[in-house]
Amino acid sequence: MYLETLKKSGDFLSITRENEFHLEPTSFLLANGTQVDVLDTGVIKFTPSAKTTKDIVLSSAVHGNETAPIEICDELIQNIILGKLELNQRVLFIFGNPKSINIGERFVEENLNRLFSGSHSKGDVHNAERDRAKKLEIYVSDFFNEVEAGRYRCHYDLHTAIRGSKNEKFAVYPFLNGKPWKKSQLQFLLSCGVNTVLMMAAPATTFSYFSSNEFGADAFTIELGQVRPFGENDMARFEKTKQTLNALISQEKVEYKEFNSEDFELFEVYRTINRTQEAFSFTFPDSAVNFTGFAKGELLANDGEKQYFAEVEGEAIIFPNAKVALGQRALLTVIPMQINEKFI
């Protein structure tokens, strides 16, 4: 049984990697009274003995090769279990795709971050990622629903991007179905070292959209830099993120820098370009980073015989991936936006 090893080492990540698909649930108390519940491989919940006000989900490894967020969450979990960090809020940590961690790939058979909000059960396809997405929805639902309604909820899904970015760190604000964006969340992101935010314009099947849409949680997909193998991350570049997450879960209330719209660079989605043909390619090199802008009329992509040109001056690329499955998003284009009356 792994229980004694976990108590002594706090190394939930190694236990998760040794049990890619299943881990027997177990519970125990820390010396400070915090209850620890292992729900499954890669899923661990902490409930402080004192009264709490926030329900916080921190997920990583939804893509297994995005190692920096995994290391950040691994350190937080170890510090909690070993008594180096005392919680003041309920926290659910999730390592999303353990097998993809072990093989060092984005996913095994299918992109896990396209399988939430019930997408895992659509069509005739069956694989481990679809099973995992369904289970993760249940764990998050139970976590939010097992306490009284009206509490503060948030879910920060931590990633690193396939390619570099003009702005090293950026966040994706899920579509809110007409609800206002929150300046307080921009302040949180800035404290994490993230000042660039992309506002989505439509529902999605991502993990952060699931928590935002289903439970009203403040939720983001947060890109903390570029993909690196384990051991090659400069963790000093994530110090602000680590300190802010540490404060979020260990303090009753966190004070952030006073809001100033000039601190932020915001973008809104202009359009989505899907791959529909086997013969799909971009006209820009693999070295082109996220948020690279193009002049109006420049050719961006070829999808079989269909061509996509920049339609507005400065139209910029985000998340380009020519190798996605047919029918999936190969590219988002974005344009700058200003903070306006839609922010509260």
Side-chain angles (χ1 to χ4, degrees), residues 68-130:
I70 299 171
E71 293 180 27
I72 291 170
C73 291
D74 176 40
E75 181 180 317
L76 287 171
I77 292 169
Q78 288 196 38
N79 286 343
I80 294 167
I81 293 176
L82 298 179
K84 298 177 182 178
L85 174 62
E86 186 160 350
L87 297 179
N88 260 295
Q89 307 297 348
R90 295 176 70 239
V91 191
L92 180 70
F93 285 94
I94 295 172
F95 295 124
N97 196 341
K99 183 171 183 178
S100 73
I101 300 176
N102 286 342
I103 64 174
E105 298 289 346
R106 186 171 170 82
F107 53 85
V108 182
E109 294 182 65
E110 192 171 3
N111 185 347
L112 181 60
N113 212 28
R114 298 289 178 272
L115 294 175
F116 294 97
S117 297
S119 185
H120 49 73
S121 299
K122 294 179 180 177
D124 298 326
V125 179
H126 182 265
N127 56 49
E129 265 108 356
R130 290 188 170 228

Coordinates of all heavy atoms in Angstrom, one line a residue, residues 68-130:
A68 N 6.5 22.2 -16.3 CA 6.7 23.2 -15.2 C 5.5 23.2 -14.3 O 5.6 23.3 -13.1 CB 7.0 24.5 -15.8
P69 N 4.2 23.3 -14.8 CA 3.1 23.3 -13.9 C 3.0 22.0 -13.0 O 2.6 22.1 -11.9 CB 1.9 23.4 -14.8 CG 2.4 24.0 -16.1 CD 3.8 23.4 -16.2
I70 N 3.4 20.9 -13.6 CA 3.4 19.7 -12.8 C 4.4 19.8 -11.6 O 4.1 19.4 -10.5 CB 3.8 18.5 -13.7 CG1 2.9 18.3 -14.8 CG2 3.9 17.2 -12.9 CD1 3.3 17.3 -15.9
E71 N 5.6 20.4 -11.9 CA 6.5 20.6 -10.8 C 6.1 21.5 -9.8 O 6.3 21.4 -8.6 CB 7.9 21.0 -11.4 CG 8.5 19.9 -12.3 CD 9.9 20.4 -12.9 OE1 10.5 21.2 -12.3 OE2 10.2 19.9 -13.9
I72 N 5.4 22.6 -10.2 CA 4.8 23.6 -9.2 C 3.8 22.9 -8.3 O 3.9 23.1 -7.1 CB 4.2 24.7 -10.0 CG1 5.2 25.6 -10.7 CG2 3.3 25.6 -9.0 CD1 4.7 26.6 -11.7
C73 N 2.9 22.2 -8.9 CA 1.8 21.5 -8.1 C 2.4 20.4 -7.2 O 2.0 20.2 -6.1 CB 0.7 21.0 -9.0 SG -0.3 22.2 -9.7
D74 N 3.4 19.7 -7.7 CA 4.1 18.6 -7.0 C 4.7 19.2 -5.7 O 4.6 18.7 -4.6 CB 5.2 18.0 -7.9 CG 6.0 17.0 -7.1 OD1 5.4 16.2 -6.3 OD2 7.2 16.9 -7.4
E75 N 5.4 20.4 -5.9 CA 6.0 21.0 -4.7 C 5.0 21.5 -3.7 O 5.2 21.3 -2.5 CB 6.8 22.2 -5.2 CG 7.6 22.9 -4.0 CD 8.4 24.1 -4.6 OE1 9.1 24.0 -5.6 OE2 8.3 25.2 -3.9
L76 N 3.9 22.0 -4.1 CA 2.8 22.5 -3.2 C 2.2 21.3 -2.4 O 2.1 21.4 -1.2 CB 1.7 23.2 -4.0 CG 2.0 24.6 -4.5 CD1 0.9 25.0 -5.5 CD2 2.2 25.6 -3.4
I77 N 2.0 20.2 -3.1 CA 1.4 19.0 -2.5 C 2.4 18.5 -1.4 O 2.0 18.1 -0.3 CB 1.1 17.9 -3.5 CG1 -0.1 18.4 -4.4 CG2 0.7 16.6 -2.9 CD1 -0.3 17.5 -5.6
Q78 N 3.7 18.4 -1.8 CA 4.6 17.9 -0.9 C 4.7 18.8 0.4 O 4.8 18.3 1.5 CB 6.0 17.8 -1.5 CG 6.1 16.6 -2.5 CD 7.6 16.3 -2.9 OE1 8.4 16.3 -2.0 NE2 7.8 16.0 -4.1
N79 N 4.7 20.1 0.2 CA 4.8 21.0 1.3 C 3.6 20.9 2.2 O 3.8 21.0 3.4 CB 5.0 22.4 0.8 CG 6.4 22.7 0.2 OD1 7.3 21.9 0.5 ND2 6.5 23.8 -0.5
I80 N 2.4 20.6 1.6 CA 1.2 20.5 2.5 C 1.3 19.2 3.3 O 1.1 19.2 4.5 CB 0.0 20.5 1.6 CG1 -0.2 21.8 0.9 CG2 -1.3 20.1 2.5 CD1 -1.3 21.8 -0.2
I81 N 1.7 18.1 2.7 CA 1.7 16.8 3.4 C 2.8 16.8 4.4 O 2.6 16.2 5.5 CB 1.9 15.6 2.4 CG1 0.6 15.5 1.5 CG2 2.1 14.3 3.1 CD1 0.7 14.5 0.4
L82 N 3.9 17.4 4.1 CA 5.1 17.4 5.1 C 5.0 18.5 6.1 O 5.9 18.6 7.0 CB 6.4 17.5 4.3 CG 6.7 16.4 3.3 CD1 8.0 16.6 2.6 CD2 6.7 15.0 4.0
G83 N 3.9 19.2 6.1 CA 3.7 20.2 7.2 C 4.4 21.5 7.0 O 4.5 22.4 7.9
K84 N 5.0 21.8 5.8 CA 5.7 23.0 5.5 C 4.8 24.1 5.1 O 5.1 25.3 5.1 CB 6.7 22.8 4.4 CG 7.8 21.8 4.8 CD 8.8 21.5 3.7 CE 9.8 20.5 4.0 NZ 10.7 20.2 2.9
L85 N 3.6 23.8 4.7 CA 2.6 24.7 4.2 C 1.2 24.4 4.9 O 0.7 23.3 4.6 CB 2.5 24.7 2.7 CG 1.4 25.6 2.0 CD1 1.6 27.0 2.4 CD2 1.4 25.3 0.5
E86 N 0.7 25.3 5.6 CA -0.6 25.0 6.3 C -1.7 25.7 5.5 O -1.7 26.9 5.3 CB -0.6 25.5 7.7 CG -1.9 25.1 8.5 CD -1.7 25.1 10.0 OE1 -0.5 25.2 10.5 OE2 -2.7 25.0 10.7
L87 N -2.8 24.9 5.2 CA -3.8 25.5 4.4 C -4.9 26.2 5.2 O -5.1 25.9 6.3 CB -4.6 24.3 3.7 CG -3.8 23.5 2.7 CD1 -4.6 22.4 2.1 CD2 -3.2 24.4 1.5
N88 N -5.5 27.2 4.5 CA -6.7 27.9 5.0 C -7.9 27.7 4.1 O -8.9 28.3 4.4 CB -6.4 29.4 5.2 CG -6.1 29.7 6.7 OD1 -6.9 29.5 7.6 ND2 -4.8 30.1 7.0
Q89 N -7.7 27.0 3.0 CA -8.8 26.8 2.0 C -8.8 25.4 1.6 O -7.8 24.7 1.6 CB -8.6 27.7 0.8 CG -8.4 29.2 1.2 CD -9.6 29.8 1.9 OE1 -10.7 29.3 1.9 NE2 -9.4 31.0 2.4
R90 N -10.0 24.9 1.1 CA -10.1 23.6 0.5 C -9.4 23.6 -0.9 O -9.6 24.6 -1.6 CB -11.6 23.2 0.3 CG -12.4 23.0 1.6 CD -13.8 22.7 1.2 NE -14.0 21.4 0.7 CZ -14.6 21.1 -0.5 NH1 -14.9 22.2 -1.3 NH2 -14.8 19.9 -1.0
V91 N -8.7 22.5 -1.2 CA -8.0 22.5 -2.4 C -8.1 21.1 -3.0 O -7.9 20.1 -2.3 CB -6.5 22.8 -2.3 CG1 -5.9 23.0 -3.7 CG2 -6.3 24.1 -1.5
L92 N -8.4 21.0 -4.3 CA -8.3 19.8 -5.1 C -7.2 19.9 -6.1 O -7.3 20.8 -7.0 CB -9.7 19.5 -5.8 CG -9.8 18.3 -6.6 CD1 -9.8 17.0 -5.7 CD2 -11.0 18.3 -7.5
F93 N -6.2 19.1 -6.0 CA -5.1 19.0 -7.0 C -5.4 17.9 -8.0 O -5.8 16.8 -7.6 CB -3.8 18.8 -6.3 CG -3.2 19.9 -5.6 CD1 -3.4 20.1 -4.2 CD2 -2.4 20.9 -6.3 CE1 -2.9 21.2 -3.5 CE2 -1.9 22.0 -5.6 CZ -2.1 22.1 -4.2
I94 N -5.1 18.2 -9.2 CA -5.3 17.1 -10.3 C -4.1 17.1 -11.2 O -3.7 18.1 -11.8 CB -6.5 17.5 -11.1 CG1 -7.8 17.4 -10.3 CG2 -6.7 16.5 -12.3 CD1 -9.1 17.8 -11.0
F95 N -3.5 15.9 -11.3 CA -2.5 15.6 -12.4 C -3.4 14.9 -13.5 O -3.7 13.7 -13.3 CB -1.4 14.7 -12.0 CG -0.5 15.4 -10.9 CD1 -0.2 14.8 -9.7 CD2 0.2 16.6 -11.2 CE1 0.6 15.4 -8.8 CE2 1.0 17.2 -10.3 CZ 1.2 16.6 -9.1
G96 N -3.6 15.6 -14.6 CA -4.7 15.2 -15.5 C -4.5 13.9 -16.2 O -5.4 13.0 -16.3
N97 N -3.3 13.7 -16.8 CA -3.1 12.5 -17.7 C -1.8 11.8 -17.4 O -0.7 12.0 -18.0 CB -3.1 13.1 -19.1 CG -3.2 12.0 -20.2 OD1 -3.1 10.8 -19.9 ND2 -3.6 12.4 -21.4
P98 N -1.8 11.0 -16.3 CA -0.6 10.3 -15.9 C 0.2 9.6 -16.9 O 1.5 9.7 -17.0 CB -1.0 9.4 -14.7 CG -2.3 10.0 -14.2 CD -2.9 10.6 -15.5
K99 N -0.4 8.8 -17.8 CA 0.3 8.1 -18.8 C 1.0 9.0 -19.7 O 2.2 8.7 -20.1 CB -0.6 7.1 -19.6 CG 0.2 6.3 -20.6 CD -0.5 5.2 -21.2 CE 0.4 4.4 -22.1 NZ -0.3 3.2 -22.8
S100 N 0.4 10.1 -20.1 CA 1.1 11.0 -21.0 C 2.3 11.7 -20.3 O 3.3 12.1 -21.0 CB 0.1 12.1 -21.6 OG -0.2 13.0 -20.6
I101 N 2.3 11.9 -19.0 CA 3.4 12.3 -18.3 C 4.6 11.3 -18.5 O 5.7 11.7 -18.8 CB 3.2 12.5 -16.8 CG1 2.1 13.4 -16.5 CG2 4.4 12.9 -16.0 CD1 1.7 13.5 -15.0
N102 N 4.3 10.1 -18.3 CA 5.3 9.0 -18.4 C 5.9 8.9 -19.8 O 7.1 8.6 -19.9 CB 4.8 7.7 -17.9 CG 4.6 7.6 -16.4 OD1 5.1 8.5 -15.7 ND2 3.8 6.7 -15.9
I103 N 5.2 9.1 -20.8 CA 5.7 9.0 -22.2 C 6.2 10.3 -22.7 O 6.8 10.4 -23.8 CB 4.7 8.4 -23.1 CG1 3.5 9.3 -23.3 CG2 4.3 7.0 -22.7 CD1 2.5 8.8 -24.4
G104 N 6.0 11.4 -21.9 CA 6.5 12.7 -22.3 C 5.9 13.3 -23.5 O 6.5 14.0 -24.3
E105 N 4.6 13.0 -23.7 CA 3.9 13.5 -24.8 C 2.7 14.3 -24.4 O 2.2 14.2 -23.3 CB 3.4 12.3 -25.7 CG 4.5 11.4 -26.3 CD 5.2 12.1 -27.4 OE1 4.7 13.1 -27.9 OE2 6.3 11.6 -27.7
R106 N 2.2 15.1 -25.3 CA 1.0 15.9 -25.1 C -0.2 15.1 -24.7 O -0.9 15.5 -23.7 CB 0.7 16.8 -26.3 CG -0.4 17.8 -26.2 CD -0.3 18.7 -27.5 NE -1.5 19.6 -27.6 CZ -1.6 20.8 -27.0 NH1 -0.6 21.2 -26.2 NH2 -2.6 21.5 -27.1
F107 N -0.4 14.0 -25.3 CA -1.5 13.1 -25.0 C -1.1 11.7 -25.5 O -0.1 11.5 -26.2 CB -2.8 13.5 -25.5 CG -2.9 13.8 -27.0 CD1 -3.1 12.8 -27.9 CD2 -2.7 15.1 -27.4 CE1 -3.2 13.1 -29.3 CE2 -2.8 15.4 -28.8 CZ -3.0 14.4 -29.7
V108 N -1.9 10.7 -25.2 CA -1.7 9.3 -25.6 C -2.4 9.0 -26.9 O -1.8 8.8 -28.0 CB -2.1 8.3 -24.5 CG1 -1.8 6.9 -25.0 CG2 -1.4 8.6 -23.2
E109 N -3.7 9.2 -26.9 CA -4.5 8.9 -28.1 C -5.3 10.1 -28.5 O -5.6 10.3 -29.7 CB -5.5 7.7 -27.9 CG -4.8 6.4 -27.7 CD -5.8 5.3 -27.5 OE1 -6.6 5.0 -28.5 OE2 -5.9 4.7 -26.4
E110 N -5.8 11.0 -27.6 CA -6.6 12.1 -27.9 C -6.4 13.2 -26.9 O -6.1 13.0 -25.8 CB -8.1 11.6 -27.9 CG -9.1 12.6 -28.5 CD -10.5 12.0 -28.6 OE1 -10.7 10.9 -28.2 OE2 -11.4 12.8 -29.1
N111 N -6.5 14.4 -27.4 CA -6.2 15.6 -26.6 C -7.3 15.7 -25.5 O -8.4 16.0 -25.7 CB -6.3 16.9 -27.5 CG -5.9 18.1 -26.8 OD1 -5.8 18.2 -25.6 ND2 -5.7 19.2 -27.5
L112 N -6.8 15.5 -24.3 CA -7.7 15.5 -23.1 C -8.4 16.8 -22.9 O -9.6 16.9 -22.5 CB -6.9 15.2 -21.8 CG -7.6 15.1 -20.5 CD1 -8.7 14.0 -20.5 CD2 -6.7 14.9 -19.4
N113 N -7.8 17.9 -23.3 CA -8.4 19.3 -23.1 C -9.4 19.6 -24.2 O -9.8 20.8 -24.3 CB -7.3 20.3 -23.1 CG -7.7 21.5 -22.1 OD1 -8.5 21.3 -21.2 ND2 -7.2 22.7 -22.4
R114 N -9.8 18.6 -25.0 CA -10.9 18.8 -25.9 C -12.1 17.9 -25.6 O -13.0 17.7 -26.4 CB -10.5 18.5 -27.4 CG -9.4 19.4 -27.9 CD -9.9 20.8 -28.2 NE -8.9 21.7 -28.6 CZ -8.1 22.4 -27.8 NH1 -8.2 22.4 -26.5 NH2 -7.1 23.2 -28.3
L115 N -12.1 17.3 -24.4 CA -13.0 16.2 -24.1 C -13.9 16.5 -22.9 O -14.6 15.6 -22.4 CB -12.2 14.9 -23.8 CG -11.4 14.4 -25.0 CD1 -10.6 13.2 -24.6 CD2 -12.4 14.0 -26.1
F116 N -14.0 17.8 -22.4 CA -14.8 18.1 -21.3 C -16.2 18.6 -21.7 O -16.5 18.6 -22.9 CB -14.1 19.1 -20.3 CG -12.9 18.5 -19.7 CD1 -11.6 18.7 -20.3 CD2 -13.0 17.6 -18.6 CE1 -10.5 18.1 -19.7 CE2 -11.8 17.1 -18.0 CZ -10.6 17.3 -18.6
S117 N -17.0 18.9 -20.7 CA -18.4 19.3 -20.9 C -19.1 18.2 -21.8 O -19.9 18.5 -22.6 CB -18.4 20.7 -21.6 OG -17.9 21.7 -20.8
G118 N -18.9 17.0 -21.4 CA -19.6 15.9 -22.1 C -19.0 15.4 -23.4 O -19.5 14.4 -24.0
S119 N -18.0 16.1 -23.9 CA -17.5 15.7 -25.2 C -16.9 14.3 -25.2 O -16.8 13.7 -26.2 CB -16.4 16.8 -25.7 OG -16.0 16.5 -27.0
H120 N -16.5 13.9 -24.0 CA -15.9 12.5 -23.9 C -16.9 11.4 -24.3 O -16.5 10.3 -24.6 CB -15.4 12.3 -22.5 CG -16.5 12.7 -21.4 ND1 -17.6 11.9 -21.2 CD2 -16.6 13.7 -20.6 CE1 -18.3 12.4 -20.2 NE2 -17.8 13.6 -19.8
S121 N -18.2 11.7 -24.3 CA -19.2 10.7 -24.5 C -19.8 10.8 -25.9 O -20.8 10.1 -26.2 CB -20.2 10.7 -23.4 OG -19.6 10.4 -22.2
K122 N -19.3 11.7 -26.7 CA -19.9 11.9 -28.1 C -19.2 11.0 -29.1 O -18.0 10.9 -29.1 CB -19.8 13.4 -28.5 CG -20.7 14.3 -27.6 CD -20.5 15.7 -28.0 CE -21.4 16.6 -27.1 NZ -21.2 18.0 -27.4
G123 N -19.9 10.4 -30.0 CA -19.4 9.6 -31.0 C -19.1 8.2 -30.5 O -19.4 7.8 -29.4
D124 N -18.5 7.4 -31.4 CA -18.2 6.0 -31.1 C -16.8 5.7 -30.6 O -16.4 4.6 -30.4 CB -18.5 5.1 -32.4 CG -19.9 5.2 -32.8 OD1 -20.8 5.4 -32.0 OD2 -20.2 5.2 -34.1
V125 N -16.0 6.8 -30.5 CA -14.6 6.6 -30.1 C -14.6 6.2 -28.6 O -15.3 6.8 -27.8 CB -13.8 7.9 -30.3 CG1 -12.4 7.7 -29.9 CG2 -13.9 8.2 -31.8
H126 N -13.7 5.3 -28.2 CA -13.4 5.0 -26.8 C -11.9 4.9 -26.6 O -11.2 4.2 -27.3 CB -14.1 3.7 -26.4 CG -13.9 3.3 -25.0 ND1 -12.9 2.5 -24.5 CD2 -14.6 3.7 -23.9 CE1 -13.0 2.4 -23.2 NE2 -14.0 3.1 -22.8
N127 N -11.4 5.6 -25.6 CA -10.0 5.5 -25.2 C -9.8 5.9 -23.8 O -10.8 6.4 -23.1 CB -9.1 6.3 -26.2 CG -9.6 7.8 -26.3 OD1 -9.7 8.4 -25.2 ND2 -9.7 8.3 -27.5
A128 N -8.6 5.8 -23.3 CA -8.3 6.1 -21.9 C -8.5 7.6 -21.6 O -9.0 8.0 -20.5 CB -6.9 5.7 -21.5
E129 N -8.2 8.5 -22.5 CA -8.4 9.9 -22.3 C -9.9 10.3 -22.1 O -10.2 11.1 -21.3 CB -7.8 10.7 -23.4 CG -6.4 11.2 -23.2 CD -5.3 10.5 -24.0 OE1 -5.7 9.5 -24.7 OE2 -4.2 10.8 -23.9
R130 N -10.7 9.6 -22.9 CA -12.2 9.9 -22.7 C -12.7 9.4 -21.3 O -13.5 10.1 -20.7 CB -13.0 9.2 -23.8 CG -12.7 10.0 -25.2 CD -13.6 9.5 -26.3 NE -13.4 10.4 -27.4 CZ -14.4 10.9 -28.1 NH1 -15.7 10.6 -27.8 NH2 -14.2 11.7 -29.1

